[in-house]
Amino acid sequence: MKERTRFAPSPTGMLHIGGLRTALYAFYLARQTGGSFVLRIEDTDQARSVEGGIENIVKTLHRVGADPDEGFSYVDGELIERGDLGPYQQSKRLDLYRKYALKLVDDGNAHYCFCSRERLDEIRKAQQKAKQQPKYDRHCCDLEKEDIEQKLASDTPYVIRMKVPEGKSKIQDMIRGEVVIDHSEVDDQVILKSDGFPTYHLAVVVDDHFMEITTVIRGEEWLPSTPKHLILFNMLGWDAPKFAHVPLLLNPDKSKLSKRQGDVAAESYLDRGYVPEAIVNFVSTLGYNPTADREIYEPDEFIDLFNLSKVKKSGAVVNFEKLDWMNKQYMMEMDTDELKNRLKPFLNGDEGDVDRIIEVEKSRQNTLVDLASSIAPFKKLQDYDAHILIWKKSDGETAVDMLKEAREYIDGLDRLDDIVLLEASMKQWIKEQGIQTGDILWPLRVALSGSERSPSPFEYIYVIGKTEALYRIDNAINKLKGGS
Ligand code: GLU
């Protein structure tokens, strides 16, 4: 069956890791079945909407390759809205929600409520004191028709509330199995607010119906609301979609993943040099693994193998070290040209030839940002203190002698284009000379890199070439002799 799925975020800022996971799962299911992935913007709570909020979400989805087919999408660098069932932004669909709120009233399934905020606060406090679940007390449920008309005529502020019937809702959740919620636990939810906006609960039902959504995939925090939605679907005489509630993401200390414990905005990981494939892999496998025999999947494999019933029911711990590891796996697999391309946004543009640097550094760096910053020491020798040239078991004089020996050896080399050969023959030569490895390789490496901690001298020679290597060695000898 062709599935129509949707991702329905509120435009309240950045797209978080958890939201991205939900979006990806909806994207996979739609793509796997040849259906459509819809991006709908839920902005009924206008106070929470932020400037650029829609664009942030859509752009992040685009950057990770999960462009929606319908609703909002990013095409040729531009934010567009497409699809025949639009508008796909709830604040532009107010008449539709109002129509169904009034229909629910007409059918006796909802009612006007004129209770003041003060009254509602009072009953809530009293219920809390009596250790009861805070719920509407149905004060306005059975008002006389004339009373209602008179209040409406005099512009008394009102909301519309649904009348939750007695009984139970059975949710056949595709991840959690059957979940039964007794309606005694479900409040008479406001469905239309006094400002004329619907609440999320009415809007989500109307939209999922008219947008022909077949499976709703969303965060577990919405599970307690699902009975309200099922009741509304039923009252309106519509078939409900299937549901899958994706478990929460947790910090390593098992608390709910939050901004306070580090960065959770998906886009910031892209900006910090994680490749989209690794982010997709990392986020998709939080509490889910398509085959359980490996951890690395190409984005298309997630589509082919996607299976909601394999998503774990318990909360998934987010461990960003794993993202470093995954990113490294992807970077190591990429060839130099590919990596060079990916590196572009992270470079100043005047680095010149970086091929050999990428070759020697790619298996060592976790991110593109790290890889980009590994370039500078190769390109330009930083100033350093002469004393770091001296190996701990050695002295300055030895360091000078050794650098001179090394200089002569390197000057005599004719092949510097094969790093394996370079390393093997130089080590062989050191052995033949009866020199202590550390005595020569330490000062040589520091001379070439300008740093105590750096890649090997062989990698430096391979990358910077003979002339630059000899220049750096001369510079080191000068330093040790007390020159500049
Ligand atoms: N607008 C809700 C949110 O921001 C969407 C919930 C749903 O997918 O039904 O998470």
Short mmCIF file of all heavy atoms in Angstrom, two decimals, residues 263-300:
data_model
loop_
_atom_site.label_atom_id
_atom_site.label_comp_id
_atom_site.label_asym_id
_atom_site.label_seq_id
_atom_site.Cartn_x
_atom_site.Cartn_y
_atom_site.Cartn_z
N ASP A 263 24.16 20.44 22.47
CA ASP A 263 23.48 20.89 21.28
C ASP A 263 22.62 19.78 20.70
O ASP A 263 23.09 18.69 20.45
CB ASP A 263 24.56 21.27 20.28
CG ASP A 263 24.03 22.24 19.27
OD1 ASP A 263 22.79 22.33 19.16
OD2 ASP A 263 24.84 22.90 18.62
N VAL A 264 21.35 20.07 20.49
CA VAL A 264 20.48 19.05 19.91
C VAL A 264 19.91 19.48 18.55
O VAL A 264 19.10 18.78 17.97
CB VAL A 264 19.32 18.65 20.86
CG1 VAL A 264 19.87 17.95 22.08
CG2 VAL A 264 18.50 19.86 21.27
N ALA A 265 20.34 20.62 18.04
CA ALA A 265 19.86 21.06 16.73
C ALA A 265 20.58 20.29 15.64
O ALA A 265 21.82 20.27 15.58
CB ALA A 265 20.08 22.55 16.57
N ALA A 266 19.80 19.63 14.78
CA ALA A 266 20.41 18.79 13.75
C ALA A 266 21.34 19.60 12.85
O ALA A 266 22.44 19.15 12.49
CB ALA A 266 19.32 18.12 12.92
N GLU A 267 20.91 20.81 12.50
CA GLU A 267 21.71 21.59 11.56
C GLU A 267 23.09 21.93 12.11
O GLU A 267 24.06 22.03 11.35
CB GLU A 267 20.96 22.88 11.19
CG GLU A 267 21.60 23.56 10.00
CD GLU A 267 20.74 24.68 9.44
OE1 GLU A 267 20.00 25.31 10.22
OE2 GLU A 267 20.85 24.93 8.23
N SER A 268 23.19 22.09 13.40
CA SER A 268 24.50 22.48 13.93
C SER A 268 25.52 21.36 13.70
O SER A 268 26.71 21.62 13.59
CB SER A 268 24.41 22.88 15.40
OG SER A 268 24.36 21.73 16.19
N TYR A 269 25.06 20.13 13.62
CA TYR A 269 26.00 19.03 13.34
C TYR A 269 26.48 19.08 11.89
O TYR A 269 27.65 18.78 11.61
CB TYR A 269 25.38 17.68 13.71
CG TYR A 269 25.29 17.57 15.21
CD1 TYR A 269 24.17 17.99 15.90
CD2 TYR A 269 26.39 17.13 15.94
CE1 TYR A 269 24.12 17.98 17.28
CE2 TYR A 269 26.36 17.10 17.32
CZ TYR A 269 25.21 17.52 17.99
OH TYR A 269 25.20 17.51 19.35
N LEU A 270 25.60 19.50 11.01
CA LEU A 270 26.03 19.69 9.61
C LEU A 270 27.06 20.82 9.56
O LEU A 270 28.10 20.70 8.90
CB LEU A 270 24.83 20.06 8.74
CG LEU A 270 23.84 18.92 8.47
CD1 LEU A 270 22.50 19.47 8.01
CD2 LEU A 270 24.40 17.96 7.42
N ASP A 271 26.77 21.89 10.29
CA ASP A 271 27.69 23.03 10.28
C ASP A 271 29.01 22.71 10.95
O ASP A 271 30.02 23.35 10.70
CB ASP A 271 27.05 24.25 10.97
CG ASP A 271 25.84 24.75 10.18
OD1 ASP A 271 25.75 24.43 8.98
OD2 ASP A 271 24.99 25.44 10.77
N ARG A 272 28.99 21.72 11.81
CA ARG A 272 30.23 21.35 12.50
C ARG A 272 31.00 20.27 11.76
O ARG A 272 31.93 19.68 12.29
CB ARG A 272 29.93 20.92 13.93
CG ARG A 272 29.76 22.15 14.84
CD ARG A 272 28.85 21.92 15.97
NE ARG A 272 29.26 20.81 16.80
CZ ARG A 272 28.53 20.31 17.79
NH1 ARG A 272 27.36 20.82 18.04
NH2 ARG A 272 28.98 19.32 18.50
N GLY A 273 30.59 20.00 10.53
CA GLY A 273 31.41 19.13 9.68
C GLY A 273 31.10 17.65 9.75
O GLY A 273 31.95 16.83 9.41
N TYR A 274 29.90 17.32 10.19
CA TYR A 274 29.48 15.91 10.09
C TYR A 274 28.80 15.76 8.73
O TYR A 274 28.01 16.62 8.33
CB TYR A 274 28.52 15.55 11.22
CG TYR A 274 29.19 15.56 12.57
CD1 TYR A 274 29.23 16.72 13.34
CD2 TYR A 274 29.81 14.42 13.07
CE1 TYR A 274 29.87 16.74 14.56
CE2 TYR A 274 30.46 14.43 14.30
CZ TYR A 274 30.48 15.60 15.04
OH TYR A 274 31.12 15.62 16.25
N VAL A 275 29.09 14.69 8.02
CA VAL A 275 28.50 14.54 6.69
C VAL A 275 27.04 14.09 6.85
O VAL A 275 26.71 13.38 7.80
CB VAL A 275 29.31 13.55 5.80
CG1 VAL A 275 30.72 14.08 5.60
CG2 VAL A 275 29.32 12.15 6.35
N PRO A 276 26.17 14.51 5.93
CA PRO A 276 24.75 14.17 6.07
C PRO A 276 24.50 12.67 6.24
O PRO A 276 23.67 12.27 7.05
CB PRO A 276 24.13 14.66 4.76
CG PRO A 276 25.05 15.71 4.27
CD PRO A 276 26.43 15.37 4.76
N GLU A 277 25.25 11.86 5.50
CA GLU A 277 25.05 10.40 5.60
C GLU A 277 25.25 9.91 7.03
O GLU A 277 24.53 9.03 7.50
CB GLU A 277 26.04 9.64 4.71
CG GLU A 277 25.89 9.88 3.24
CD GLU A 277 26.75 11.02 2.73
OE1 GLU A 277 26.95 12.02 3.47
OE2 GLU A 277 27.22 10.93 1.59
N ALA A 278 26.26 10.46 7.70
CA ALA A 278 26.55 10.02 9.07
C ALA A 278 25.46 10.49 10.02
O ALA A 278 25.04 9.76 10.92
CB ALA A 278 27.91 10.54 9.52
N ILE A 279 24.99 11.71 9.81
CA ILE A 279 23.92 12.23 10.68
C ILE A 279 22.66 11.40 10.49
O ILE A 279 22.01 10.99 11.46
CB ILE A 279 23.67 13.73 10.38
CG1 ILE A 279 24.91 14.52 10.76
CG2 ILE A 279 22.44 14.23 11.13
CD1 ILE A 279 24.85 15.98 10.42
N VAL A 280 22.34 11.11 9.24
CA VAL A 280 21.16 10.28 8.94
C VAL A 280 21.32 8.90 9.58
O VAL A 280 20.40 8.37 10.22
CB VAL A 280 20.97 10.17 7.41
CG1 VAL A 280 20.03 9.03 7.06
CG2 VAL A 280 20.44 11.48 6.85
N ASN A 281 22.50 8.33 9.44
CA ASN A 281 22.77 7.01 10.00
C ASN A 281 22.63 7.04 11.52
O ASN A 281 21.95 6.20 12.14
CB ASN A 281 24.20 6.59 9.60
CG ASN A 281 24.45 5.10 9.72
OD1 ASN A 281 25.14 4.51 8.91
ND2 ASN A 281 23.89 4.46 10.73
N PHE A 282 23.23 8.05 12.11
CA PHE A 282 23.22 8.16 13.57
C PHE A 282 21.79 8.34 14.11
O PHE A 282 21.35 7.62 15.01
CB PHE A 282 24.08 9.37 13.96
CG PHE A 282 24.09 9.68 15.43
CD1 PHE A 282 24.69 8.81 16.34
CD2 PHE A 282 23.51 10.85 15.92
CE1 PHE A 282 24.70 9.10 17.69
CE2 PHE A 282 23.51 11.14 17.27
CZ PHE A 282 24.11 10.27 18.16
N VAL A 283 21.08 9.29 13.52
CA VAL A 283 19.74 9.62 14.00
C VAL A 283 18.78 8.45 13.75
O VAL A 283 17.97 8.10 14.61
CB VAL A 283 19.25 10.93 13.33
CG1 VAL A 283 17.79 11.16 13.60
CG2 VAL A 283 20.07 12.11 13.83
N SER A 284 18.90 7.82 12.59
CA SER A 284 17.99 6.71 12.26
C SER A 284 18.19 5.51 13.17
O SER A 284 17.25 4.76 13.42
CB SER A 284 18.20 6.26 10.81
OG SER A 284 17.96 7.33 9.93
N THR A 285 19.41 5.32 13.62
CA THR A 285 19.67 4.12 14.43
C THR A 285 19.59 4.40 15.94
O THR A 285 20.09 3.61 16.75
CB THR A 285 21.04 3.49 14.09
OG1 THR A 285 22.05 4.50 14.19
CG2 THR A 285 21.05 2.92 12.70
N LEU A 286 18.96 5.49 16.31
CA LEU A 286 18.70 5.72 17.74
C LEU A 286 17.48 4.86 18.11
O LEU A 286 16.37 5.17 17.73
CB LEU A 286 18.41 7.20 18.00
CG LEU A 286 19.60 8.15 17.82
CD1 LEU A 286 19.13 9.61 17.82
CD2 LEU A 286 20.65 7.93 18.89
N GLY A 287 17.73 3.76 18.78
CA GLY A 287 16.62 2.88 19.15
C GLY A 287 16.07 2.07 17.99
O GLY A 287 14.94 1.57 18.04
N TYR A 288 16.84 1.94 16.95
CA TYR A 288 16.36 1.19 15.78
C TYR A 288 17.56 0.68 15.00
O TYR A 288 18.55 1.39 14.84
CB TYR A 288 15.53 2.11 14.88
CG TYR A 288 15.21 1.52 13.51
CD1 TYR A 288 14.33 0.44 13.39
CD2 TYR A 288 15.79 2.03 12.36
CE1 TYR A 288 14.05 -0.10 12.14
CE2 TYR A 288 15.51 1.50 11.11
CZ TYR A 288 14.64 0.43 11.00
OH TYR A 288 14.37 -0.11 9.78
N ASN A 289 17.47 -0.56 14.56
CA ASN A 289 18.49 -1.06 13.65
C ASN A 289 17.81 -2.00 12.66
O ASN A 289 17.18 -2.97 13.06
CB ASN A 289 19.60 -1.79 14.43
CG ASN A 289 20.82 -2.01 13.56
OD1 ASN A 289 20.68 -2.19 12.35
ND2 ASN A 289 21.99 -2.00 14.15
N PRO A 290 17.92 -1.70 11.37
CA PRO A 290 17.16 -2.47 10.38
C PRO A 290 17.55 -3.95 10.33
O PRO A 290 16.70 -4.79 10.07
CB PRO A 290 17.51 -1.81 9.05
CG PRO A 290 18.22 -0.55 9.36
CD PRO A 290 18.67 -0.59 10.78
N THR A 291 18.81 -4.29 10.57
CA THR A 291 19.19 -5.70 10.39
C THR A 291 19.88 -6.30 11.61
O THR A 291 20.03 -7.51 11.70
CB THR A 291 20.17 -5.86 9.21
OG1 THR A 291 21.38 -5.18 9.55
CG2 THR A 291 19.60 -5.31 7.93
N ALA A 292 20.37 -5.46 12.49
CA ALA A 292 21.06 -5.91 13.69
C ALA A 292 22.40 -6.59 13.43
O ALA A 292 23.02 -7.11 14.34
CB ALA A 292 20.16 -6.82 14.54
N ASP A 293 22.87 -6.62 12.17
CA ASP A 293 24.18 -7.23 11.96
C ASP A 293 25.27 -6.21 11.62
O ASP A 293 26.41 -6.56 11.36
CB ASP A 293 24.11 -8.34 10.89
CG ASP A 293 23.75 -7.78 9.52
OD1 ASP A 293 23.48 -6.56 9.42
OD2 ASP A 293 23.76 -8.55 8.55
N ARG A 294 24.91 -4.95 11.57
CA ARG A 294 25.92 -3.90 11.32
C ARG A 294 25.34 -2.56 11.76
O ARG A 294 24.16 -2.46 12.10
CB ARG A 294 26.31 -3.86 9.85
CG ARG A 294 25.14 -3.54 8.95
CD ARG A 294 25.50 -3.80 7.49
NE ARG A 294 24.30 -4.02 6.74
CZ ARG A 294 23.88 -3.24 5.74
NH1 ARG A 294 24.59 -2.20 5.38
NH2 ARG A 294 22.77 -3.51 5.11
N GLU A 295 26.21 -1.54 11.71
CA GLU A 295 25.75 -0.24 12.19
C GLU A 295 25.78 0.84 11.13
O GLU A 295 25.25 1.92 11.33
CB GLU A 295 26.62 0.20 13.36
CG GLU A 295 26.47 -0.75 14.53
CD GLU A 295 26.98 -0.15 15.81
OE1 GLU A 295 26.20 0.55 16.47
OE2 GLU A 295 28.16 -0.36 16.12
N ILE A 296 26.44 0.55 10.03
CA ILE A 296 26.55 1.57 8.98
C ILE A 296 25.63 1.22 7.81
O ILE A 296 25.70 0.10 7.28
CB ILE A 296 28.02 1.67 8.49
CG1 ILE A 296 28.95 2.06 9.64
CG2 ILE A 296 28.14 2.67 7.33
CD1 ILE A 296 28.80 3.47 10.16
N TYR A 297 24.80 2.16 7.44
CA TYR A 297 23.86 1.97 6.32
C TYR A 297 23.89 3.19 5.41
O TYR A 297 23.96 4.32 5.88
CB TYR A 297 22.43 1.81 6.83
CG TYR A 297 22.23 0.60 7.70
CD1 TYR A 297 22.42 0.69 9.07
CD2 TYR A 297 21.86 -0.63 7.15
CE1 TYR A 297 22.26 -0.43 9.88
CE2 TYR A 297 21.68 -1.74 7.96
CZ TYR A 297 21.88 -1.63 9.33
OH TYR A 297 21.72 -2.72 10.14
N GLU A 298 23.80 2.94 4.14
CA GLU A 298 23.65 4.05 3.21
C GLU A 298 22.21 4.58 3.33
O GLU A 298 21.29 3.80 3.64
CB GLU A 298 23.89 3.57 1.78
CG GLU A 298 25.34 3.20 1.49
CD GLU A 298 26.31 4.33 1.80
OE1 GLU A 298 25.98 5.49 1.51
OE2 GLU A 298 27.38 4.05 2.37
N PRO A 299 22.00 5.88 3.05
CA PRO A 299 20.65 6.43 3.19
C PRO A 299 19.58 5.60 2.46
O PRO A 299 18.50 5.37 3.00
CB PRO A 299 20.78 7.83 2.59
CG PRO A 299 22.21 8.21 2.87
CD PRO A 299 22.99 6.94 2.74
N ASP A 300 19.87 5.13 1.25
CA ASP A 300 18.87 4.35 0.52
C ASP A 300 18.53 3.02 1.18
O ASP A 300 17.43 2.51 1.03
CB ASP A 300 19.34 4.08 -0.91
CG ASP A 300 19.12 5.30 -1.79
OD1 ASP A 300 18.47 6.26 -1.31
OD2 ASP A 300 19.60 5.30 -2.93
#
